[in-house]
Amino acid sequence: MSRILDLAKQFEQASKKELESTNEIVQNAIKQHEKNLIEQLQYAGSNLAENIQAEQAKLIKSTVRMYRLPIIIALMILALIAITAGVLTWQSKNAYQEMIAWEHSAEIAKEQSGGIKLSTCQTNKGIKPCVAVDKDLMDKTWGGNLKIIEVHEPKSKGKQ
């Protein structure tokens, strides 16, 4: 019986060793599995972060593309307004300078002509330029070479 008892003890010891080695193998497999899971989760997390960043970059590009055309149109409109304002300013400046020159010429002509008034008169040949003359001086000659040849009535203000 002692042999059976010895065999039982050896079996028990072998079972304990095998159980310990199996526990150790299972523990190592669990640790390796945990390690693999952690690596896969980290890899999936980094892939997810990269995909999110790529999608954000695409959204930013599409947003910029979407606003590019209206911004270009707005800038073109502003440029046209600025160019138009510049041209109008230049033209008004030229017109103002021309008007000042006409006023200056009119003042010189008034001083040199003795206050003669220019107008338009209705004749049987149509509307012609004419000069207003004092009726008391119609029969006289001015300076020897100017004389009244015809007298026409000025056109009325209502017909203009």
Side-chain angles (χ1 to χ4, degrees), residues 132-145:
V133 179
D134 187 356
K135 286 185 180 185
D136 295 337
L137 302 175
M138 277 197 206
D139 296 330
K140 295 185 180 176
T141 306
W142 290 278
N145 60 357

Side-chain angles (χ1 to χ4, degrees), residues 10 14 24 34 50-51 53 55 99 111 119-120 146 148:
Q10 282 179 356
E24 201 174 301
E34 286 176 352
E50 288 174 8
N51 288 341
Q53 288 176 347
E55 286 299 316
M99 184 182 70
E111 288 174 8
S119 181
T120 56
L146 295 176
I148 297 175

